[in-house]
Amino acid sequence: MSKPRRKIPPNEQLILHSEVNGVCPLCPTTLIYEKNGRNQKGFEIAHIYPLNPLPKEVILLEKEELLNTDLDHGDNLICLCNPCHKRYDKEKTVEEYRELFKIKKDILKRKMEQQIWSKTSIENQIFEIIELLVDKDLDFEDNLEYSPKTIDKKTNDTITILTKRKIHQNVQDYFYKISAKFKELDFLEPMTTEIISSQIKTHFLLLKKQGSNQKEIFDAMTTWLQKQTKQDNRDASEIIISYFIQNCEIF
């Protein structure tokens, strides 16, 4: 006997729509379109694992992981444009399931990261570090001479080569500058560096505890710091997180 599909209330549809940033995760189609001067809904709510799987789907997906044992739970739901939803439901393949499973799992992980934002704060003195980094007159004459192995020993294969290069360059360009600024802040307000380092370390540990890998941690910490400091540009946040990787609070 098939399970009745529950009616997804408008507020939950809005949440699911925002999870994919208003764009179908399987193609570049926007999920709301304008027609005759009015916004029109161009999406459907798809069950990642079928609510009422066909016998062949049960066999196909029998060894696959579930996002939630309640197949009508929001964890197992995702917004798709109408054509992609129709295509996904017809003659489903295990590769299609795994693709959508990973997309939703990443969404759920980002939501968990956002939930810990309120658990860690950052001292206001971090704004002075940001002001240093965005100063147009900042020079790079005294670059740090360090062995790349310092960072290489701390990172693993979950860090992409491009991200690792970015961290290397950030440290080489800015490490001495940031260190000098922290010493200046400590002279004016003792323990500033220790407090900020502790806050950075705490946020890192919370992300590590929930199972994030190093690339996810780097990106999540950059986003957290960017949100905490209300910066439009991620660059300064990436530089600061790179500094704390070299300084051993992260990884």
Side-chain angles (χ1 to χ4, degrees), residues 1-246:
M1 184 175 179
S2 63
K3 301 175 185 176
R5 179 184 179 125
R6 71 181 175 92
K7 185 176 181 180
I8 310 298
N11 63 330
E12 188 174 356
Q13 291 192 37
L14 183 62
I15 291 171
L16 293 167
H17 179 268
S18 67
E19 283 183 353
V20 295
N21 298 315
V23 178
C24 178
L26 297 179
C27 77
T29 301
T30 54
L31 299 176
I32 299 290
Y33 64 93
E34 186 177 325
K35 185 175 182 180
N36 296 328
R38 299 185 65 180
N39 288 329
Q40 305 291 334
K41 177 182 172 183
F43 67 87
E44 296 172 349
I45 307 299
H47 286 79
I48 298 171
Y49 189 97
L51 179 62
N52 294 295
L54 300 171
K56 61 181 179 181
E57 290 178 324
V58 172
I59 296 172
L60 179 73
L61 304 175
E62 65 178 343
K63 295 182 180 179
E64 298 302 309
E65 187 179 351
L66 296 177
L67 289 160
N68 197 298
T69 54
D70 178 0
L71 300 179
D72 232 359
H73 190 277
D75 290 354
N76 190 50
L77 302 177
I78 195 165
C79 272
L80 298 179
C81 69
N82 299 335
C84 281
H85 187 196
K86 183 177 181 180
R87 204 159 38 239
Y88 180 69
D89 279 351
K90 186 176 182 180
E91 298 296 329
K92 187 181 284 83
T93 67
V94 70
E95 289 77 19
E96 288 174 326
Y97 174 79
R98 288 173 181 171
E99 179 183 12
L100 212 51
F101 176 93
K102 184 180 185 307
I103 290 170
K104 183 68 178 192
K105 189 173 183 178
D106 288 344
I107 288 171
L108 295 175
K109 180 166 282 190
R110 288 198 303 271
K111 291 175 74 172
M112 289 176 63
E113 291 167 0
Q114 292 168 2
Q115 289 171 7
I116 67 172
W117 287 355
S118 61
K119 297 181 181 179
T120 46
S121 58
I122 196 79
E123 293 294 288
N124 287 332
Q125 286 85 349
I126 200 71
F127 287 101
E128 297 193 38
I129 304 295
I130 291 173
E131 288 176 4
L132 166 74
L133 298 176
V134 299
D135 186 347
K136 65 181 184 337
D137 295 323
L138 184 66
D139 65 80
F140 302 97
E141 292 180 1
D142 54 344
N143 288 349
L144 170 67
E145 294 181 3
Y146 79 106
S147 169
K149 291 181 180 178
T150 304
I151 288 175
D152 291 341
K153 288 180 180 178
K154 299 177 183 177
T155 54
N156 56 37
D157 292 340
T158 66
I159 284 279
T160 64
I161 187 64
L162 292 177
T163 300
K164 188 179 290 188
R165 285 177 179 172
K166 184 187 299 183
I167 295 169
H168 276 285
Q169 193 63 52
N170 287 341
V171 170
Q172 185 171 345
D173 287 346
Y174 295 99
F175 189 88
Y176 277 158
K177 305 287 185 184
I178 295 175
S179 293
K181 187 64 178 179
F182 270 126
K183 289 178 182 178
E184 177 186 322
L185 291 172
D186 280 338
F187 179 78
L188 297 172
E189 295 187 53
M191 305 294 289
T192 294
T193 301
E194 189 171 344
I195 292 171
I196 291 177
S197 296
S198 176
Q199 291 167 332
I200 294 287
K201 182 77 171 182
T202 296
H203 199 77
F204 160 68
L205 291 174
L206 287 170
L207 289 169
K208 187 177 180 180
K209 181 180 179 181
Q210 75 173 26
S212 299
N213 63 41
Q214 289 190 341
K215 177 64 166 65
E216 292 168 341
I217 287 173
F218 180 79
D219 291 340
M221 294 204 68
T222 298
T223 301
W224 163 71
L225 188 57
Q226 182 186 7
K227 297 294 183 181
Q228 287 278 354
T229 55
K230 300 180 181 178
Q231 299 295 306
D232 293 331
N233 195 309
R234 290 176 63 89
D235 292 347
S237 296
E238 286 185 341
I239 291 166
I240 293 170
I241 297 304
S242 298
Y243 170 86
F244 282 107
I245 290 174
Q246 173 69 12

